Amino acid sequence: MQRYRLGLDVGTNSLGWAVVELNDDNDIVGVIDMGSRIFSDGRKPREKQSLAVDRRIARQARRRRDRFIRRRQRLMRQLVEFNLFPSSELDRKALEEIDPWEIRARALDEKVSLPELARAIFHLNQRRGFKSGRIQEADGDNEGGMVKDAIKRTADEMMNAKVRTLGEYLYYRKEDNLSVRARPSSDGSSYSLYVDRSMIEKEFDLLWASQQRFHGSVELSQAAFEALKDTILYQRPLKPVDPGWCSYEEGERRAPLALPMSQQFRMLQELNHLRIVRNDRSERAVTLEERNHLLGLLERQSDMSMAKIRKELGCEKEDKLNMELGGRKKVKGNGTSVKLSAQDCFGEAWFDFKFEKQNEIVEKIVGSRTNEELIDYLESVIKLDRHRARAISEVLLDDGYGQLSRKAILKINEHLKEEVVTYDKAVVAAGYSHSSQGLSGKMARLPYYGEVLPKVVSGAEPAEEVNEEIRFGK
């Protein structure tokens, strides 16, 4: 029987292979065959966008529509059960002729019939407004900013118009032949108005309280209030992101990129790799004093250009930086500190916090599931006023997680700060092995990839004994 060995070279959109012949001592004695296969990398050629994006967007739209229909059906059943809507479908159909905007404005001051109130409540559900899930928008995606700007503008206009509710405000807009829908401008750069979920909640409470004065708490019971409000306003909590496991510390989760320690970790690595290249091609590393000077500047700047770095280092006119020769234009600074030290957030007080406290605060910012949870923490624990707490809750910090845990970062940072050493040397000094990964020895079959490549998987549950995908992650 012929003895052979198969070798594979797996790339992002190619697969190279070779089959070599072996003798009895497993030494290579010849090539049996070889070749390669080129396949699509799963992205659009021009935009370099994943082909799955369009499918995902369509799937999300279908799910939103399905959930809206189910919520509407549930609300309809409840309105009938609480004797607000008539049980006859024909009678309910007749209520469609009533202008819901007019009811939402009139019901704040005068008595309306229960079916009319139900019509207004049903209308609140049709466009219940935006509610932030505290998902960090990706850099360059301005949709979230457009929405927040439009919501703030709508709230300011409501205040200037001295209206009590969103419905009252939109009723007056409708009477003036203005749009009552959230539509983007012709150039797609803004919205004329946008509704926040809290506006709908406030209006529901005011409408219910106003009509209870006329109908009493029996017809408009507390049970009905809670059930209808929950149906209209409920939003599924976001599924927590699994950050995966640290590459060096077993059982430790990866740290968020927004943490000050993660920002410092990245800046130290880049500055420690910095080299000044002379005109004669000789080069030198930056000194500890020079590195610390640059680090101090980057702590308060979102980025620094190569020209600025050369100036701060006192370089000669013909000197270049190694990163600059590699095509880099700038070095990224501490984006977390820059954003949180803004005047309407912490201001200069941010730099008065100890490093550990800064990390604790950012941990809470990125970990909070709702703005309300975060604002409550900032007011009660950090003792900030409402204005600053709300401003901080709207800040978008770096999204995602790195490869290392907080424990590993702190250990490696100590050595990166102590000397101007490169990352691989700092890793070894911290007691880790920079390059070792995978398994050694011969095996009868290829192992599950997550066992060999722990750095590229997430969701691992080491206690699982049967399912490899769960135990090692995917």
Side-chain angles (χ1 to χ4, degrees):
M1 179 179 175
Q2 187 180 31
R3 301 172 66 85
Y4 68 91
R5 179 176 296 155
L6 170 66
L8 299 174
D9 177 18
V10 183
T12 56
N13 63 323
S14 65
L15 175 67
W17 59 274
V19 181
V20 295
E21 185 179 358
L22 306 176
N23 61 19
D24 292 339
D25 296 324
N26 284 329
D27 294 326
I28 298 173
V29 296
V31 177
I32 298 173
D33 202 357
M34 65 173 63
S36 64
R37 293 289 184 272
I38 309 296
F39 46 85
S40 169
D41 63 356
R43 297 185 299 172
K44 295 179 180 178
R46 180 173 297 178
E47 299 89 352
K48 298 300 181 183
Q49 186 183 62
S50 171
L51 296 173
V53 171
D54 292 339
R55 296 197 300 273
R56 183 174 72 245
I57 292 174
R59 183 171 64 250
Q60 289 172 343
R62 291 195 301 272
R63 286 177 177 171
R64 281 196 300 270
R65 179 65 181 170
D66 290 344
R67 288 169 182 167
F68 168 74
I69 291 173
R70 289 196 298 269
R71 187 174 70 248
R72 185 177 62 187
Q73 292 171 340
R74 179 186 176 194
L75 180 63
M76 180 74 77
R77 288 196 303 270
Q78 289 175 329
L79 289 170
V80 173
E81 289 170 3
F82 290 117
N83 298 316
L84 299 177
F85 257 162
S87 56
S88 168
E89 184 176 350
L90 190 62
D91 292 339
R92 292 198 301 270
K93 200 74 175 173
L95 293 173
E96 293 181 5
E97 303 300 321
I98 300 176
D99 181 6
W101 302 110
E102 187 265 340
I103 299 175
R104 287 170 64 174
R106 184 161 54 89
L108 294 171
D109 300 306
E110 59 185 78
K111 182 178 180 179
V112 298
S113 67
L114 292 180
E116 286 179 323
L117 176 62
R119 177 73 177 96
I121 292 173
F122 190 82
H123 192 245
L124 288 175
N125 177 68
Q126 295 299 97
R127 287 183 284 279
R128 61 182 189 155
F130 169 81
K131 181 178 181 181
S132 171
R134 289 198 55 76
I135 294 180
Q136 303 279 1
E137 285 89 346
D139 289 342
D141 178 13
N142 65 348
E143 178 69 17
M146 285 169 52
V147 169
K148 288 181 179 178
D149 290 344
I151 289 174
K152 185 178 185 306
R153 187 162 53 251
T154 301
D156 291 342
E157 289 176 359
M158 288 173 60
M159 185 179 298
N160 294 334
K162 297 181 179 179
V163 295
R164 292 160 290 179
T165 66
L166 175 71
E168 189 176 27
Y169 169 68
L170 295 180
Y171 171 69
Y172 293 141
R173 281 183 64 95
K174 182 173 176 289
E175 290 294 294
D176 293 336
N177 293 317
L178 296 173
S179 172
V180 295
R181 301 287 295 271
R183 300 187 187 281
S185 59
S186 57
D187 60 358
S189 62
S190 63
Y191 288 97
S192 57
L193 63 90
Y194 217 97
V195 177
D196 185 76
R197 187 78 53 85
S198 62
M199 298 175 183
I200 298 295
E201 181 176 8
K202 178 184 177 183
E203 181 172 357
F204 181 88
D205 292 344
L206 288 177
L207 285 175
W208 195 271
S210 173
Q211 291 305 301
Q212 260 192 338
R213 294 178 299 159
F214 303 109
H215 296 282
S217 58
V218 176
E219 291 178 295
L220 298 179
S221 65
Q222 184 64 24
F225 172 80
E226 292 175 358
L228 295 172
K229 186 174 180 178
D230 178 70
T231 297
I232 294 173
L233 302 176
Y234 175 77
Q235 181 163 303
R236 288 174 175 80
L238 293 173
K239 186 178 180 180
V241 175
D242 181 2
W245 300 101
C246 175
S247 299
Y248 296 137
E249 289 286 347
E250 187 174 349
E252 294 286 335
R253 293 287 186 181
R254 296 171 182 172
L257 294 173
L259 290 181
M261 69 170 67
S262 298
Q263 299 281 311
Q264 185 186 80
F265 181 55
R266 170 180 47 75
M267 292 188 296
L268 283 169
Q269 287 183 68
E270 296 207 311
L271 293 177
N272 284 7
H273 280 84
L274 201 60
R275 300 288 183 272
I276 300 173
V277 183
R278 304 294 189 190
N279 197 36
D280 60 0
R281 290 299 176 183
S282 64
E283 61 178 58
R284 73 166 179 87
V286 294
T287 65
L288 184 62
E289 184 180 354
E290 289 173 332
R291 195 281 313 276
N292 289 341
H293 174 65
L294 293 175
L295 182 64
L297 294 175
L298 286 172
E299 284 287 353
R300 292 172 173 265
Q301 298 181 34
S302 56
D303 57 60
M304 190 184 301
S305 69
M306 292 299 167
K308 173 70 172 173
I309 293 175
R310 279 191 275 108
K311 181 179 179 182
E312 293 295 332
L313 293 175
C315 294
E316 299 293 335
K317 186 176 181 179
E318 60 274 5
D319 290 346
K320 297 291 183 182
L321 302 174
N322 58 334
M323 293 182 182
E324 193 174 15
L325 294 173
R328 289 280 296 274
K329 302 294 184 184
K330 57 189 177 182
V331 172
K332 188 178 177 183
N334 190 335
T336 297
S337 287
V338 170
K339 292 176 180 178
L340 294 182
S341 63
Q343 194 60 40
D344 57 344
C345 294
F346 286 100
E348 281 297 309
W350 171 253
F351 298 104
D352 295 334
F353 289 114
K354 292 184 177 180
F355 190 61
E356 295 77 10
K357 189 64 176 180
Q358 288 182 345
N359 282 285
E360 178 189 317
I361 293 171
V362 176
E363 189 83 58
K364 187 65 179 180
I365 291 175
V366 299
S368 296
R369 309 313 302 169
T370 65
N371 282 355
E372 291 72 22
E373 177 188 342
L374 175 58
I375 290 171
D376 180 66
Y377 164 80
L378 293 171
E379 288 182 325
S380 60
V381 179
I382 309 300
K383 307 303 181 184
L384 292 180
D385 59 63
R386 186 77 177 180
H387 171 75
R388 290 185 182 274
R390 182 164 293 281
I392 292 169
S393 73
E394 296 176 354
V395 170
L396 298 177
L397 301 178
D398 287 353
D399 193 16
Y401 297 83
Q403 292 288 333
L404 305 184
S405 63
R406 299 155 187 78
K407 185 176 180 180
I409 288 174
L410 287 174
K411 283 184 179 180
I412 298 171
N413 267 358
E414 287 183 14
H415 300 280
L416 289 172
K417 285 188 291 185
E418 191 176 282
E419 299 179 72
V420 184
V421 295
T422 53
Y423 169 74
D424 56 324
K425 291 183 174 62
V427 167
V428 174
Y432 303 122
S433 177
H434 172 56
S435 58
S436 65
Q437 72 168 23
L439 306 175
S440 59
K442 296 181 179 180
M443 299 180 182
R445 60 185 290 271
L446 289 176
Y448 176 67
Y449 69 86
E451 184 178 3
V452 186
L453 304 171
K455 294 183 180 181
V456 299
V457 298
S458 63
E461 297 293 343
E464 171 64 34
E465 296 181 358
V466 180
N467 190 310
E468 288 185 326
E469 191 175 85
I470 297 177
R471 181 172 48 175
F472 298 113
K474 58 181 179 180

